[in-house]
Amino acid sequence: MSISRALPGCLRVCAFLLGAGLVAGIAQAQQEPTWLSDTGIRAYAVTGTARFAQPVPPAGVAAVEPSHGSFSPIQLVINLANRLRDIRYKRGGREPSTGFDCSGFVRYVFRQGIGADLPNTSAAQFQAGQKIARTELRSGDLVFFRTAGKRISHVGIYTGDGEFIHAPSSGKRVSISRLSEPYWARRFAGAKRPQVLAVLNSDDRRNQG
């Protein structure tokens, strides 16, 4: 068979292989969670080396040295929250592409960070989880405020050292504030530990006991 007669068949084979490769690539992209590309944490998911380690201990308590390659759920939450800094505020916003309101930001971080579903509103989030004193705050806990009358109307994620990250209000962006700032200190309503973190803390105490 001459080269000129065989060439069309080769082209058809090449086109088939190229098409199959594109389909496989699209299928892989559809299977991959969008939050991996949004947050840059993809490496932890695809390497298979990530393991949950001990949660962050309270101030003054020595940390348990994690094993090599471990990555705690609290670290995932805090790292993801920080990666979302500067996302604009949007009332009712639930995604980075549209912007966040306070409860939408918190819910997105916990769902995409560690797969935990929290209620939709700050008031409902305040009703869930374990109540803790301000002196017991640990990274990953939720802090609540009354910014509009007596009802719970704002929530943020405590990051340690008296700071919390949140989607403040219209015209602002996801940022870090201090609990000691006069505005937030006057409106502080309490703190809750999400159930998923309360369970982890309980498991840690049993393992250490």
Side-chain angles (χ1 to χ4, degrees), residues 30-64:
Q30 291 174 340
Q31 293 172 0
E32 180 177 285
T34 56
W35 66 270
L36 292 176
S37 56
D38 287 344
T39 64
I41 303 177
R42 184 178 189 277
Y44 295 105
V46 300
T47 59
T49 59
R51 290 188 294 115
F52 288 169
Q54 301 292 337
V56 179
V61 177
V64 177

Side-chain angles (χ1 to χ4, degrees), residues 36 64 67-68 77 95 100 119 130 145 180 189 195:
L36 292 176
V64 177
S67 58
H68 179 70
V77 166
E95 299 287 338
F100 291 115
Q130 173 185 322
F145 305 87
S180 60
Q195 190 61 36

Side-chain angles (χ1 to χ4, degrees), residues 41 51 53-54 56 66 70-81:
I41 303 177
R51 290 188 294 115
Q54 301 292 337
V56 179
S70 62
F71 209 67
S72 79
I74 293 176
Q75 285 176 301
L76 286 169
V77 166
I78 299 303
N79 283 11
L80 175 52

